[in-house]
Amino acid sequence: MRLALVLILVAAALGWWGWNRPVRPAPELIAGLSAEGLSGAPCPARSIYEQDARRKRGPQTSSVFALRLREKFPLGTPGEILRETLTAQGFETVTPCANDDSVLGARWRGQTWGAPDAYVYWRVDLNEKLIFLDGHVSRAD
């Protein structure tokens, strides 16, 4: 009986803390954007089946977030500027492709269910300049 009471009190305290904890605002780069779906990282196909599925899907249009990124960081911009901006806005760097080390990535994960999740993917040339930049927001503000 006492154990059940303690567990109920602990669950209530954790629920109260989760409900009332401060939520960090979305970064400037994704502020005001709505969900665009999950497009995935630009990784090479891992199998012939995945390659065929991509071919059948056809070319994908750029997301609003990707267009915003390319406007702020045109191709040829030093990749370090993009990385520093993303880090300053709370994005975490990730390795999006297990089968391609040339693809770099960063993600923002919202702290609540309705908060946006955003992903950025890029490649740089030998001079560390952007040669590819893409991204998507997976949930609405």
Side-chain angles (χ1 to χ4, degrees):
M1 183 69 157
R2 288 183 191 174
L3 179 61
L5 182 60
V6 169
L7 289 176
I8 290 170
L9 290 174
V10 168
L14 287 174
W16 179 86
W17 175 80
W19 189 263
N20 293 310
R21 71 182 170 156
V23 177
R24 63 185 174 172
E28 174 190 333
L29 283 173
I30 62 173
L33 294 180
S34 60
E36 301 171 305
L38 187 61
S39 64
C43 302
R46 294 169 290 194
S47 69
I48 192 72
Y49 302 110
E50 188 175 346
Q51 183 177 352
D52 287 346
R54 289 181 185 182
R55 191 173 298 130
K56 288 177 185 175
R57 185 175 64 185
Q60 302 294 302
T61 59
S62 293
S63 67
V64 174
F65 182 43
L67 296 174
R68 182 181 285 185
L69 286 168
R70 291 183 202 132
E71 183 178 307
K72 188 167 178 78
F73 307 99
L75 297 183
T77 301
E80 191 58 32
I81 293 174
L82 172 64
R83 187 186 310 262
E84 288 172 358
T85 302
L86 292 171
T87 301
Q89 293 192 22
F91 282 77
E92 302 169 347
T93 56
V94 295
T95 306
C97 300
N99 59 348
D100 187 352
D101 292 340
S102 71
V103 179
L104 306 169
R107 71 176 173 216
W108 163 270
R109 285 197 172 167
Q111 293 178 314
T112 62
W113 181 254
D117 291 339
Y119 299 85
V120 180
Y121 310 106
W122 70 95
R123 283 189 172 102
V124 293
D125 62 12
L126 295 175
N127 297 319
E128 295 296 318
K129 307 280 186 188
L130 292 175
I131 57 172
F132 172 83
L133 182 58
D134 198 10
H136 65 272
V137 175
S138 63
R139 281 189 258 188
D141 244 341

